[in-house]
Amino acid sequence: MEVNIKEQIRTVFTRYLEANKCRKTTERYTILDAICDMEGRFTLEELSEKLTADNFIVSRATLYNTLRLLLSMRLVVKFVLPHGTWYEVGYKNENHCYQVCTVCGNIDELRTTALAAIVDNVRPKRFRKDGFIIYIYGVCSSCQSKMKRKARQKELKKGT
């Protein structure tokens, strides 16, 4: 992650902790830094492994509590998908469109301006929209090919 954005996130985090009279612990900042250093989406297990690899052992409770705090501040975004829960830095309130394969669990981000334009034009009443996440569920081309091969093999076995 860009150093400038990481510093902005740390500043927002510090101000929030001070304003809400929360403790500014080494554990919280180390977890925040590890999250900022993660590439794209990550699971809680991947975050824990990264901290362990960095020789920083932290309890599961501290990890969960810090993640919950960052989620409430919207510095981290949570994705609950059929094959698990993923997290991602969400500081910029970016819009996301994902296609999710319901067979293998593969997740790809769609870079589509048309879909984003449609959602951006929605004007909810008495509600300030900050961003959106759209999941499109289906079957990826790899899984479709595998399913077709299996079906053909079944047909060939029936024919013999």
Side-chain angles (χ1 to χ4, degrees):
M1 172 174 286
E2 213 176 289
V3 175
N4 189 29
I5 292 174
K6 190 174 178 178
E7 288 174 15
Q8 289 175 7
I9 292 171
R10 284 181 67 93
T11 301
V12 168
F13 189 57
T14 301
R15 287 181 184 158
Y16 179 88
L17 294 176
E18 289 170 351
N20 291 285
K21 296 179 175 48
C22 297
R23 292 178 301 140
K24 295 187 282 184
T25 64
T26 303
E27 289 83 0
R28 286 179 172 167
Y29 282 99
T30 303
I31 291 169
L32 178 65
D33 288 341
I35 288 171
C36 289
D37 292 340
M38 300 292 282
E39 294 290 325
R41 292 180 303 276
F42 60 91
T43 64
L44 191 66
E45 289 74 28
E46 291 170 340
L47 177 59
S48 180
E49 288 170 7
K50 178 172 181 22
L51 290 166
T52 302
D54 293 343
N55 292 320
F56 193 83
I57 308 301
V58 64
S59 73
R60 268 307 226 221
T62 301
L63 199 55
Y64 276 111
N65 290 336
T66 303
L67 204 50
R68 190 177 309 121
L69 178 64
L70 293 168
L71 285 165
S72 72
M73 296 175 61
R74 296 186 346 206
L75 292 176
V76 172
V77 178
K78 180 179 182 178
F79 303 98
V80 180
L81 300 169
H83 297 283
T85 302
W86 298 79
Y87 301 91
E88 186 174 64
V89 174
Y91 176 66
K92 292 183 177 181
N93 290 329
E94 295 172 335
N95 301 325
H96 295 278
C97 299
Y98 294 101
Q99 57 187 25
V100 181
C101 180
T102 55
V103 177
C104 68
N106 187 41
I107 305 165
D108 289 317
E109 187 165 0
L110 292 173
R111 305 264 184 220
T112 172
T113 56
L115 195 52
I118 291 169
V119 176
D120 281 338
N121 286 327
V122 172
R123 302 286 179 233
K125 292 183 181 180
R126 299 167 54 190
F127 182 80
R128 186 192 79 215
K129 180 176 54 175
D130 292 330
F132 65 86
I133 300 170
I134 295 176
Y135 301 108
I136 300 173
Y137 296 97
V139 181
C140 70
S141 59
S142 296
C143 289
Q144 288 178 41
S145 297
K146 289 176 189 174
M147 292 164 69
K148 285 180 185 177
R149 277 195 301 273
K150 284 183 182 179
R152 270 189 253 135
Q153 288 174 352
K154 235 182 201 180
E155 289 298 316
L156 289 174
K157 286 181 182 178
K158 280 185 182 179
T160 53

